[in-house]
Amino acid sequence: MAKEYKLSSTRLHELEEELHYLKTTREKEVAEHLKEARSFGDLSENSEYDEAKNEQAKLYGRIAEVENILAHAVLIDDGAEEATGHIGLGCSVKVRYEEDGEEIEEDYEIVGSQEANPMAGRISDDSPFGRAVMGHAEGDIVEVDAPAGSMRYTIVSVEKKS
């Protein structure tokens, strides 16, 4: 069975636009680059041709990847579980934990794996943190088994992102 990719409607639209760009504009650019590289002569010693072929392979690889994601995309429901105050996809979560005797609060947004960006506070529901907090509510204490060790978080607030 193929993996499902949980996406927001915004991310789904971005991927559709990217696929359109890759299949139209970018494919023509790469074909032109390949044609130009061929004109330089002997293909066995033509580094421009090799580079253009590699670029073409990367392009077709990305097209196949985006098509696969779109074919197996599951749109995130913008209001089901989160209306109950429980953490689900698309929720903003504020958590508190203790580090070196100091209490620290951080905000995260729980998203599908294709939208995750930990540096921007967008955590995948497939990550150890995401799996640990899913379904919990404000005031719950969750334990996250991470590579750095086990950590306890208190859920301070849960909000559905608008």
Side-chain angles (χ1 to χ4, degrees):
M1 188 168 137
K3 179 177 179 179
E4 291 182 339
Y5 298 97
K6 299 169 189 159
L7 304 173
S8 65
S9 57
T10 304
R11 181 66 178 148
L12 182 70
H13 183 68
E14 288 171 358
L15 285 172
E16 289 169 343
E17 285 180 351
E18 179 184 359
L19 183 62
H20 178 72
Y21 167 76
L22 292 174
K23 284 185 161 186
T24 56
T25 308
R26 187 70 185 130
E27 195 169 32
K28 288 176 185 168
E29 292 171 354
V30 170
E32 187 60 39
H33 189 189
L34 195 59
K35 181 179 171 185
E36 183 181 323
R38 265 195 216 116
S39 71
F40 293 145
D42 184 11
L43 298 181
S44 64
E45 295 181 15
N46 187 336
S47 64
E48 286 86 3
Y49 180 75
D50 290 340
E51 182 184 321
K53 287 297 284 182
N54 287 338
E55 191 176 343
Q56 184 181 46
K58 286 179 187 175
L59 171 68
Y60 289 139
R62 180 62 183 158
I63 288 172
E65 180 183 11
V66 173
E67 285 177 336
N68 181 49
I69 292 168
L70 291 174
H72 300 101
V74 175
L75 202 56
I76 296 171
D77 182 8
D78 287 342
E81 184 179 359
E82 297 81 11
T84 65
H86 289 86
I87 298 171
L89 286 168
C91 283
S92 293
V93 180
K94 181 181 288 236
V95 295
R96 181 177 38 245
Y97 65 98
E98 199 171 307
E99 184 176 295
D100 299 328
E102 181 181 340
E103 283 194 353
I104 299 171
E105 285 191 3
E106 291 185 347
D107 294 314
Y108 297 107
E109 183 180 350
I110 308 300
V111 296
S113 61
Q114 290 296 308
E115 298 179 73
N117 181 353
M119 300 305 287
R122 297 171 60 84
I123 306 295
S124 168
D125 65 324
D126 289 333
S127 70
F129 180 83
R131 283 192 302 269
V133 300
M134 289 293 283
H136 285 275
E138 190 174 311
D140 288 354
I141 296 174
V142 295
E143 194 142 331
V144 178
D145 292 322
S150 185
M151 296 184 71
R152 290 174 56 112
Y153 292 89
T154 301
I155 300 170
V156 177
S157 66
V158 177
E159 293 179 13
K160 176 64 184 158
K161 185 180 171 205
S162 306

